[in-house]
């Protein structure tokens, strides 16, 4: 069964090709059948391959499949092949299953939109590219999938391209992530040059043998890969593209945030963790970037009015938790949070899509209200997703994954109290902005009534994801709650367990209590300000002392303003000044010189033999004289 692994990414690509070639003749029903069917078939094959791998002994759960050699230059021979182990298996299952639910939801969400077949073609290409990324056994093939998801993000964010805002958002996502992609490409050149391969397993083995911890080359290589990860995963300082990416259709937002693209950077660091372990300075930078990002994004989420932008900043913040875990060597905790985050964030985005569409494309949460009675299924599933995001203790998947991260950050020799405190404050912000969103949107007075009730194509994916947003965390229980570390043990052959300082390794219970109190207290604060006395919250936001802070957080801490003045405006100014393209003048001069030389030489072509003979004679005399006297 494992020999069918190549079908997992191939089936979405096949669906893409069929939709591109036959999209219009197929009609909407046919396009939906091909788009959803190809992802469903890929999901089935993925689960069959997973079952076959899990059936093997724990030490043998690795499968590599090389289809052909891509290019052969000397000893460098990257291949088109796939590598399945515990890490790529988790990623593969999450990507395929969550993408399948989003595709099913999309058949209803996009039913009245033009470009129906084109939408599913792009979505299939997106999923196929992400599967290539997570299954690639070679970093060059991984980079192909990496660029594929970047291309698809541009196509899907700007899907409704007739609106300039959407087109601008797609271009912004493509350009900003290109900064990180360039750094990553340079890092791959460095690795290939110094170690002679980009095959992941061989590369990690050679790096561990040939490079000393903390030396220049692994530090530089890891820093360049971190640049790529920061861009794709929307971490500081390249986070500005993700909030604007909400211009795309809601299923696109769910796919980008939950199952593809923004998790690519987390996967890259986890996959190359051996290299990052050889670069302690870069690993510390990963933790600091994650801690700073989760705080800044959490504060911005707290003041947004657009429902999808709240969730966008939430994603930036939650990816920050994953970076924080990676930076302290808690590799399995980061991937565990990736899994639970995929469930509850896909649920929240799909629920938000139902609310927005049934309210005639209304995005402002303060123009909603009272929807818990109008949309009961959406409300209860959204509440479950929100509780998981807020890490409500004991009953949500988000609690178990975030609790594991906070414990590992506290206990790790690479972490400590300050990074843990950043994570704890971020947890409080998360609960506060999450339930602000819930109370304002679903409670209070009805501001607008839904045009229709969502059908089963909307509600079934919500219900499935709601179950996973609760039950997905029980695969990893801490020592105080039954000590069932199934997830950590499953990925241990690929991702080593986090190291713990002996004196801190027993602090599990009080850390859980503190985290639980912070989560519940923040929900209580949200209830007091945004449900019981919303006028107080509005007055506080408008007060002279906090109005500037509120605006500063709302515009993303001014990063767009800064980049506009440091990068965009100077470039536009130079382009305006250089409207005649000074660089081309050099090449125009070469062309003019060539034409002038041609005209000069044509003068000598008279057709008179005596002039040719005279020229030969004069030339011979000149050359002879030079040879004799010089």
């Amino acid at each position: 069964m494992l020999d069918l692994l190549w079908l997992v990414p191939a089936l979405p690509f096949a669906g893409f090709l069929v939709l591109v070639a036959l999209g219009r003749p197929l009609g909407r029903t046919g396009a939906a059948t091909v788009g959803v069917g190809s992802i469903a078939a890929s999901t089935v094959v993925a689960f069959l391959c997973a079952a076959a791998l899990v059936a093997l002994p724990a030490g043998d759960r690795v499968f590599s499949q090389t289809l052909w050699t891509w290019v052969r230059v000397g000893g460098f021979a990257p291949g088109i092949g796939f590598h399945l182990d515990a890490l790529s298996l988790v990623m593969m299952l999450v990507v395929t299953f969550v993408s399948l639910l989003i595709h099913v939801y999309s058949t209803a969400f996009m039913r009245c939109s033009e470009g129906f077949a084109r939408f599913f073609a792009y979505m299939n290409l997106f999923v196929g590219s992400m599967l290539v990324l997570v299954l690639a056994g070679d970093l060059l093939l991984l980079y192909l999938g990496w660029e594929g998801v970047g291309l698809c993000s541009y196509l899907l964010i700007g899907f409704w391209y007739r609106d300039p805002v959407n087109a601008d958002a797609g271009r912004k996502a493509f350009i900003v992530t290109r900064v990180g992609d360039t750094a990553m490409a340079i890092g791959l050149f460095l690795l290939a040059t110094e170690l002679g391969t980009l095959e992941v397993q061989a590369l990690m083995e050679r790096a561990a043998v040939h490079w000393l911890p903390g030396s220049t080359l692994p530090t530089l290589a890891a820093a360049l890969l971190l640049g790529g990860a920061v861009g794709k995963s929307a971490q500081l300082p390249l986070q500005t593209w993700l909030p604007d990416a909400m211009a795309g259709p809601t299923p696109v937002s769910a796919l980008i945030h939950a199952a593809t693209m923004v998790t690519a950077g987390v996967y890259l660091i986890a996959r190359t963790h051996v290299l990052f372990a050889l670069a302690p300075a870069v690993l510390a930078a990963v933790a600091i970037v994650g801690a700073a990002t989760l705080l800044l994004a959490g504060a911005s989420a707290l003041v947004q009015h657009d429902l999808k932008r709240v969730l966008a900043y939430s994603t930036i913040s939650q990816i920050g938790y994953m970076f924080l875990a990676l930076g302290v060597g808690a590799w399995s905790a980061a991937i565990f949070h990736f899994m639970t985050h995929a469930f509850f964030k896909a649920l929240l985005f799909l629920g938000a899509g139902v609310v927005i569409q049934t309210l005639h494309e209304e995005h402002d949460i303060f123009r909603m209200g009272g929807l818990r009675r109008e949309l009961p299924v959406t409300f209860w599933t959204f509440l479950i997703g929100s509780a998981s995001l807020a890490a409500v203790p004991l009953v949500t998947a988000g609690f178990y994954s975030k609790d594991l991260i906070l414990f590992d950050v506290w206990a790790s020799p690479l972490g400590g109290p300050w990074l843990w405190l950043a994570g704890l404050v971020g947890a409080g912000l998360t609960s506060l902005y999450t339930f602000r969103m819930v109370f304002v949107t679903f409670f209070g007075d009805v501001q607008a009534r839904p045009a229709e009730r969502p059908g089963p194509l909307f509600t079934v994916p919500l219900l499935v994801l709601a179950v996973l947003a609760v039950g997905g965390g029980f695969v990893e229980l801490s020592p105080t709650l039954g000590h069932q570390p199934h997830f950590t043990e499953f990925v241990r052959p690929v991702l080593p367990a986090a190291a713990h300082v002996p004196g801190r390794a027993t602090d599990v219970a009080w850390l859980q209590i503190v985290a639980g109190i912070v989560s519940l207290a923040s929900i209580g604060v949200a209830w007091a300000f945004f449900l019981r006395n919303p006028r107080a919250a509005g007055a506080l936001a408008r007060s002279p002392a906090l109005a500037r802070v509120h605006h500063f957080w709302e515009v993303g801490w001014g990063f767009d303003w800064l980049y506009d003045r440091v990068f965009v405006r100077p470039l536009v100014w130079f382009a305006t000044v250089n409207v005649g393209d000074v660089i081309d003048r050099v090449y125009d001069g070469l062309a003019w010189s060539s034409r002038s030389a041609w005209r000069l030489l044509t003068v000598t072509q008279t057709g008179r033999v005596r002039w040719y003979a005279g020229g030969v004679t004069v030339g011979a005399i000149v050359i002879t004289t030079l040879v004799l006297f010089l």
Side-chain angles (χ1 to χ4, degrees):
M1 188 55 68
L2 288 171
D3 291 334
L4 299 179
L5 180 63
W6 64 276
L7 285 173
V8 176
L11 287 167
F13 286 136
F16 162 75
L17 294 175
V18 172
L19 289 167
V20 167
L22 303 172
R24 286 191 177 182
L26 286 172
R28 290 179 178 268
T29 302
T33 301
V34 172
V36 178
S38 59
I39 301 300
S42 176
T43 304
V44 171
V45 175
F47 274 88
L48 292 175
C49 290
L53 190 76
V54 172
L56 298 174
D60 298 330
R61 290 174 183 164
V62 178
F63 176 75
S64 295
Q65 181 182 54
T66 302
L67 303 179
W68 65 84
T69 299
W70 193 347
V71 63
R72 189 180 297 276
V73 180
F76 182 68
I80 302 292
F82 304 112
H83 181 83
L84 187 64
D85 56 19
L87 173 59
S88 53
L89 183 145
V90 171
M91 298 292 294
M92 175 184 70
L93 295 181
V94 171
V95 170
T96 53
F97 187 70
V98 174
S99 298
L100 174 61
L101 295 175
I102 295 172
H103 272 69
V104 172
Y105 175 97
S106 300
T107 60
F109 189 90
M110 300 296 293
R111 66 186 183 278
C112 298
S113 177
E114 62 177 346
F116 188 82
R118 177 167 59 92
F119 175 81
F120 278 99
Y122 292 165
M123 291 282 278
N124 278 28
L125 183 62
F126 205 172
V127 176
S129 297
M130 187 65 188
L131 288 169
V132 167
L133 191 158
V134 301
L135 291 174
D138 189 283
L139 286 182
L140 190 59
L141 183 60
L142 182 149
Y143 191 68
L144 177 65
W146 188 275
E147 293 297 339
V149 296
L151 170 64
C152 293
S153 70
Y154 164 74
L155 295 173
L156 286 165
I157 292 168
F159 181 76
W160 290 318
Y161 58 87
R162 289 193 175 94
D163 185 341
V165 173
N166 298 340
D168 290 343
R171 284 193 293 270
K172 183 178 182 179
F174 190 77
I175 292 169
V176 172
T177 56
R178 178 64 50 194
V179 176
D181 295 353
T182 302
M184 181 179 173
I186 297 171
L188 296 185
F189 279 118
L190 174 63
L191 291 171
T193 302
E194 296 297 327
L195 298 177
T197 184
L198 287 177
E199 196 276 316
V200 177
Q201 305 307 313
L203 184 72
M204 296 302 103
E205 292 173 1
R206 294 183 188 184
V209 171
H210 295 292
W211 285 346
L212 295 174
S215 57
T216 302
L217 287 177
T219 300
L220 181 58
L224 290 168
L225 293 186
L226 175 59
V230 162
K232 273 290 186 290
S233 292
Q235 298 294 282
L236 287 170
L238 300 179
Q239 82 287 1
T240 57
W241 66 270
L242 193 57
D244 289 352
M246 298 304 95
T250 297
V252 174
S253 303
L255 195 61
I256 289 176
H257 288 249
T260 59
M261 191 130 174
V262 295
T263 59
V266 176
Y267 174 74
L268 175 67
I269 296 175
R271 175 54 74 193
T272 57
H273 68 274
V274 173
L275 179 62
F276 279 84
L278 294 171
V282 179
L283 203 58
V286 173
I288 293 170
V289 165
T293 302
L294 70 90
L295 290 174
L296 267 65
S300 290
L302 185 59
V303 297
Q304 299 301 314
H305 286 211
D306 188 309
L307 179 57
K308 287 175 65 177
R309 287 181 76 89
V310 175
L311 296 176
Y313 278 109
S314 168
T315 296
I316 298 173
S317 182
Q318 296 307 303
I319 299 293
Y321 273 104
M322 299 176 209
F323 268 63
L324 176 59
L326 293 169
V328 300
W331 317 106
S332 61
I335 301 302
F336 182 38
H337 194 55
F338 150 77
M339 183 184 74
T340 61
H341 176 263
F343 300 147
F344 63 70
K345 190 52 62 69
L347 171 59
L348 289 170
F349 266 109
L350 298 187
V354 172
V355 171
I356 291 168
Q357 191 172 78
T358 57
L359 294 182
H360 308 287
E361 298 303 317
E362 180 59 68
H363 286 244
D364 191 335
I365 60 175
F366 290 98
R367 294 180 181 176
M368 299 175 185
L371 294 177
R372 69 186 187 280
R373 297 188 186 90
E374 304 290 333
L375 300 170
V377 175
T378 304
F379 164 66
W380 286 109
T381 54
F382 196 92
L383 181 63
I384 290 170
S386 299
S388 192
L389 172 59
V392 171
L394 304 179
V395 294
T396 63
F399 165 75
Y400 293 100
S401 58
K402 193 176 291 185
D403 175 70
L404 182 60
I405 289 176
L406 290 175
F407 169 69
D408 282 338
V409 169
W410 171 267
S412 171
L414 302 176
W418 288 109
L419 289 176
W420 171 81
L421 182 61
L424 187 67
V425 172
L429 285 172
T430 301
S431 297
L432 187 58
Y433 70 67
T434 300
F435 276 85
R436 165 187 179 263
M437 173 178 62
V438 171
F439 292 141
V440 172
T441 303
F442 291 97
F443 289 80
D445 297 330
V446 176
Q447 303 291 329
R449 295 195 179 278
E452 58 181 344
R453 292 290 181 94
L457 292 176
F458 283 120
T459 56
V460 170
L462 295 179
L463 292 170
V464 173
L465 288 168
V467 172
L468 292 172
V470 173
F474 291 98
V475 297
E476 181 77 22
L477 299 179
S478 67
T480 58
L481 299 172
H483 192 52
Q484 299 294 324
H486 299 301
F487 187 88
T488 299
E489 292 299 324
F490 179 71
V491 299
R492 190 185 296 274
V494 183
L495 300 174
H500 292 154
V501 175
R504 299 176 185 167
T506 57
D507 296 336
V508 180
W510 76 263
L511 290 173
Q512 285 178 334
I513 293 172
V514 171
I517 291 173
V518 167
S519 174
L520 296 175
S522 298
I523 294 172
V525 172
W527 172 81
F529 275 98
F530 300 106
L531 184 58
R532 185 181 180 185
N533 191 9
R535 292 183 179 179
L540 191 64
R542 291 188 297 271
S543 65
L546 294 180
R548 290 180 179 272
V549 175
H550 186 283
H551 177 70
F552 186 56
W553 287 358
E554 188 175 14
V555 296
W557 296 71
F559 277 91
D560 280 317
W561 178 90
L562 177 65
Y563 293 163
D564 180 63
R565 282 155 178 78
V566 174
F567 299 111
V568 177
R569 291 190 180 185
L571 186 60
V572 171
W573 173 85
F574 178 75
T576 304
V577 172
N578 191 37
V579 67
D581 208 339
V582 174
I583 302 300
D584 276 359
R585 293 291 178 266
V586 177
Y587 300 100
D588 290 343
L590 292 175
W592 177 86
S593 301
S594 179
R595 289 194 300 269
S596 299
W598 169 77
R599 292 190 184 97
L600 184 62
L601 290 173
T602 58
V603 175
T604 66
Q605 306 301 307
T606 64
R608 298 175 182 178
V609 176
R610 63 179 179 273
W611 286 100
Y612 295 163
V616 171
T617 302
V618 171
I621 292 171
V622 171
I623 292 174
T624 303
T625 302
L626 291 174
V627 170
L628 291 176
F629 292 100
L630 295 180

